[in-house]
Amino acid sequence: MPKFSSKRRVQHSAGQMFDLVADVERYPEFVPLCHSLKVRQRTPAADGTEVVVADMTVSFKLVRETFTSKVTLDRPNLKILVEYLRGPFSNLENRWTFESKSDRACDVGFFISYEFKSRMLALLMGTMFDTAFQRFAQAFEKRADVVYGKPSAAT
């Protein structure tokens, strides 16, 4: 099963980066391969977590697939867990962590493992998915610079 993980130090706070990744409705604006995203349900919990069920459509050339995920936004612990519900995968697991290093810096951890149900789809999309996941962290960091401003050289 293909897997990818990364940890990047970014010059934005852990809270800012959590908020950026948690803002799933904006993904089509900057996430590689994300064509559209529709939130089906949003359920806040008393413990500060929130569960979002969303449909994401990814596309590459003539291939377009939609899958549904349950996203647990754990703000108190600065973690995000994405659990696969239905679509073209037989398995999909995605985790984000945000570890504060200072008021203006954090380490963003990203992990994903996935397997397509269809061997043909795996052949068509597999290499592109691998490349896209390698660019995910960079896409979020660039988005943070747009939303929160580029960090100054002095910080």
Side-chain angles (χ1 to χ4, degrees), residues 79-129:
K79 294 181 181 180
I80 296 174
L81 173 64
V82 181
E83 299 170 273
Y84 176 71
L85 297 177
R86 66 182 151 284
F89 299 96
S90 55
N91 184 15
L92 174 71
E93 180 185 354
N94 177 214
R95 294 187 305 266
W96 292 87
T97 58
F98 309 89
E99 184 182 342
S100 183
K101 294 299 175 184
S102 73
D103 289 345
R104 296 182 184 164
C106 72
D107 285 345
V108 177
F110 174 77
F111 169 83
I112 191 162
S113 66
Y114 65 95
E115 189 169 27
F116 289 101
K117 288 178 187 173
S118 158
R119 186 167 167 75
M120 180 61 80
L121 191 59
L123 290 171
L124 286 170
M125 296 287 281
T127 303
M128 191 58 193
F129 261 54

Side-chain angles (χ1 to χ4, degrees), residues 6-22:
S6 73
K7 187 179 229 181
R8 290 176 66 99
R9 173 82 38 98
V10 298
Q11 299 303 309
H12 299 284
S13 74
Q16 286 175 324
M17 292 307 294
F18 177 92
D19 290 344
L20 193 85
V21 176

Side-chain angles (χ1 to χ4, degrees), residues 2 4 26 45 63 66 70 76 99 107 109 120-121 126 134 147-148:
F4 177 78
R26 298 266 187 220
V63 179
T66 299
K70 173 183 161 188
E99 184 182 342
D107 285 345
M120 180 61 80
L121 191 59
Q134 291 173 17
V147 172
Y148 303 120

Side-chain angles (χ1 to χ4, degrees), residues 51-79:
V51 174
V52 177
V53 176
D55 295 330
M56 179 186 271
T57 300
V58 295
S59 64
F60 175 67
K61 296 187 180 181
L62 298 175
V63 179
R64 184 175 289 186
E65 293 287 339
T66 299
F67 62 96
T68 304
S69 297
K70 173 183 161 188
V71 182
T72 302
L73 305 172
D74 182 356
R75 186 169 232 317
N77 295 302
L78 295 173
K79 294 181 181 180

